[in-house]
Amino acid sequence: LALTLASVCDGAVYWRDQRAGLGAGQKGTTGVNGTIYYVTPGRTLTLALEAVSTTAGATVQVSLSQGRLPTGATLTNPTTPSATVSATFAWTPTADQQCEYQLCFTADDSTGAASTGSYASPIAAGADERCYSVVVTEQSIYLEAGSFVDATPFLHSLTSSCGWSIGFWVKPSDTDDMEVLTAGFTRGGATTLLHTLRWVKAPQETVVHGVTRQSAGANFYTFQFTDVASGSAATSPAVYCIDRWHFVMVTADKSGTITLYVDGGEAFHDSSSSRSFNTPSVSSITILPSNYAGDVVAAQSGEEGFFRLGTHSPVGGQPFMGFFDELRVYGRVLDADSVSTQLFAKLVPANEVGLVGYYTFDVGRQGAGLPYSKYAATYTNPATNSIMGDTTGDGSFDSPMRIETNEQTRQDMSAKGVQITDSSGQGNHLTGCTSATCFGGELYIEFIPSPVTPACPATVTPEVVHVKGGDSVTIAGNAFSPSPWLTCSFSSPLVAGGGVTHVRATYVSPYQVTCVAPAM
């Protein structure tokens, strides 16, 4: 005896997804409850919200039941009502809308029936409200174990007569010694390394009664610029913040003066007369052999210059592991004031003088042509008791699940061989190394907040705390920073006199902080 869903549960409204209990013609592409969608500013998130009514002659409409449509978003039902509906949620968020949004939808038919069926089975009783998280955030590139980005294309835009500036945000791991940038040339299959910028472990130093002592309690790191040919090296003051974003800018003028800025401050300043650079194109970190003349990318027959984010060879030292973001390249020398103004501001390429390359790394895609990525709500397979990601409702693993505490575990968008768009308008697009050219490891584009994105609290649990205080409060959102000035603000009810009390927050991850409520 074969029974269809309609004959068993006549007079109901169901979301059209891929659940096994749905009858012929009732399946669709609606996401299961709890699906998380990630989208980068400027890309369009489009969701089909499909439902069907089993009541003869009834028509269906989808509506927003919880949350508020973000500015610029639309929810559109078909102009001709029918028993089967495919409504469309569409939104192209802007850069200033980076946050996490909670939206819930229901489907109702013209008889008053509302969408029913549970997450696991469409025949079970109970309302079926589809609630989603939409996370608007930018992307960064993650390198590990020998992967690199070929940044050679912008070299032709740099000249030794004008100088240059190269800046970027970088988030190194706590590995002791890594190549951040590498530059040199290849000839006859051999690689010659000329310049490096490295992340180097340095001991913590403290001064006690005028005596410098070493401390084993913490590790400090430095950024070290090295001219390999001469052996000259210059090291920035040590920084303690490991596994944190740092802004680095290297400038070189036509006289050979190289200046290294770390986190907006001038960390080191040196000139060609004070150390033994022995090449005429000393003004470029991509300096070529000493017999090169003219512009910094002038080449002799059979020699090819290179510039890379990451390692230069499989035997050149510890490969870089960490994130890059917001790479910008100028064909001129930026002064200290210009560098400091770039620290926490997105570039507007049209307003930048001499910009020859700008790379935000917002090029990752989870699927071919898909403008967004999706992460599943936790689903436990009853047959195997295993946890999997399911965004369609068919009971099979089809998506990674969002991880809140470890950015590197969300590596679902490979950057190998991917073109990295130049947003400066100069056409100097970069390319991730391929499986054949990478020296090892992986190369990923990750959905993580840009270091220039302001924090955005999205949800608070619990929403109301006890007046005696002591309740632990969890704030979820986006782009939280491990700042010592991170605080939570609690407001007293007007009947208690009103007012706001600020308490220190505890950083958990870029997506979560906690606070202990004060007595109110």
Side-chain angles (χ1 to χ4, degrees), residues 438-493:
C438 287
F439 302 121
E442 298 296 338
L443 187 66
Y444 292 106
I445 299 293
E446 301 288 339
F447 276 108
I448 66 173
S450 164
V452 298
T453 302
C456 174
T459 61
V460 178
T461 307
E463 295 181 355
V464 180
V465 297
H466 198 280
V467 293
K468 292 183 179 180
D471 292 343
S472 179
V473 179
T474 299
I475 299 93
N478 208 5
F480 293 126
S481 173
S483 167
W485 295 280
L486 196 64
T487 60
C488 293
S489 299
F490 293 84
S491 59
S492 302

Side-chain angles (χ1 to χ4, degrees), residues 335-380:
D335 58 23
D337 289 341
S338 299
V339 173
S340 63
T341 59
Q342 292 197 7
L343 191 57
F344 290 112
K346 295 282 291 184
L347 290 189
V348 179
N351 297 339
E352 297 297 317
V353 177
L355 187 67
V356 299
Y358 180 42
Y359 311 91
T360 64
F361 301 101
D362 294 338
V363 295
R365 296 184 185 275
Q366 192 181 59
L370 195 66
Y372 59 87
S373 289
K374 59 182 178 179
Y375 293 81
T378 300
Y379 171 73
T380 302

Side-chain angles (χ1 to χ4, degrees), residues 145-148 179 189 191 308 311-319 437-440:
S147 61
F148 63 87
E179 295 176 332
T191 298
R308 291 172 180 161
T311 191
H312 75 287
S313 78
V315 295
Q318 174 65 40
T437 59
C438 287
F439 302 121

Side-chain angles (χ1 to χ4, degrees), residues 27-327:
K27 292 189 176 182
T29 61
T30 304
V32 301
N33 192 48
T35 300
I36 305 111
Y37 297 94
Y38 275 74
V39 63
T40 300
R43 290 187 181 179
T44 300
L45 172 65
T46 302
L47 303 180
L49 301 169
E50 301 175 304
V52 59
S53 173
T54 60
T55 301
T59 59
V60 182
Q61 178 168 299
V62 174
S63 59
L64 185 71
S65 55
Q66 293 188 62
R68 184 173 61 182
L69 284 179
T71 302
T74 59
L75 175 61
T76 307
N77 283 275
T79 55
T80 303
S82 68
T84 300
V85 66
S86 181
T88 301
F89 170 82
W91 184 29
T92 305
T94 58
D96 60 354
Q97 291 179 304
Q98 295 185 61
C99 197
E100 181 168 347
Y101 300 80
Q102 307 289 332
L103 302 173
C104 296
F105 302 90
T106 56
D108 304 88
D109 72 11
S110 52
T111 69
S115 49
T116 186
S118 73
Y119 172 71
S121 169
I123 300 177
D128 187 5
E129 185 181 38
R130 293 299 165 97
C131 294
Y132 306 122
S133 294
V134 178
V135 182
V136 182
T137 188
E138 295 176 334
Q139 300 175 15
S140 301
I141 195 165
Y142 177 71
L143 287 68
E144 69 168 13
S147 61
F148 63 87
V149 174
D150 180 10
T152 305
F154 61 64
L155 294 183
H156 69 87
S157 299
L158 305 181
T159 62
S160 57
S161 59
C162 295
W164 52 263
S165 302
I166 298 176
F168 52 90
W169 283 92
V170 62
K171 186 179 183 181
S173 71
D174 59 356
T175 303
D176 291 355
D177 186 353
M178 300 186 296
E179 295 176 332
V180 181
L181 305 178
T182 53
F185 69 97
T186 58
R187 178 169 50 198
T191 298
T192 299
L193 185 64
L194 294 171
H195 287 264
T196 65
L197 183 68
R198 306 180 75 93
W199 170 253
V200 182
K201 184 177 180 180
Q204 179 183 12
E205 292 185 349
T206 58
V207 179
V208 180
H209 301 299
V211 178
T212 300
R213 301 180 184 274
Q214 302 294 324
S215 171
N219 292 326
F220 274 62
Y221 290 79
T222 67
F223 289 96
Q224 184 180 84
F225 174 83
T226 303
D227 171 42
V228 179
S230 67
S232 299
T235 303
S236 75
V239 294
Y240 175 67
C241 297
I242 60 174
D243 196 30
R244 298 289 182 261
W245 285 106
H246 295 283
F247 183 70
V248 178
M249 177 75 77
V250 181
T251 69
D253 66 20
K254 61 182 180 181
S255 70
T257 298
I258 294 177
T259 305
L260 171 64
Y261 299 87
V262 176
D263 294 333
E266 186 175 322
F268 133 75
H269 184 86
D270 208 352
S271 67
S272 57
S273 61
S274 60
R275 54 193 173 106
S276 56
F277 281 104
N278 58 356
T279 64
S281 51
V282 66
S283 62
S284 174
I285 198 173
T286 55
I287 191 170
L288 297 180
S290 57
N291 53 4
Y292 275 32
D295 291 343
V296 295
V297 292
Q300 293 188 358
S301 177
E303 297 178 352
E304 183 177 354
F306 68 82
F307 183 92
R308 291 172 180 161
L309 308 186
T311 191
H312 75 287
S313 78
V315 295
Q318 174 65 40
F320 180 79
M321 182 175 292
F323 290 92
F324 280 97
D325 201 6
E326 293 285 321
L327 172 67

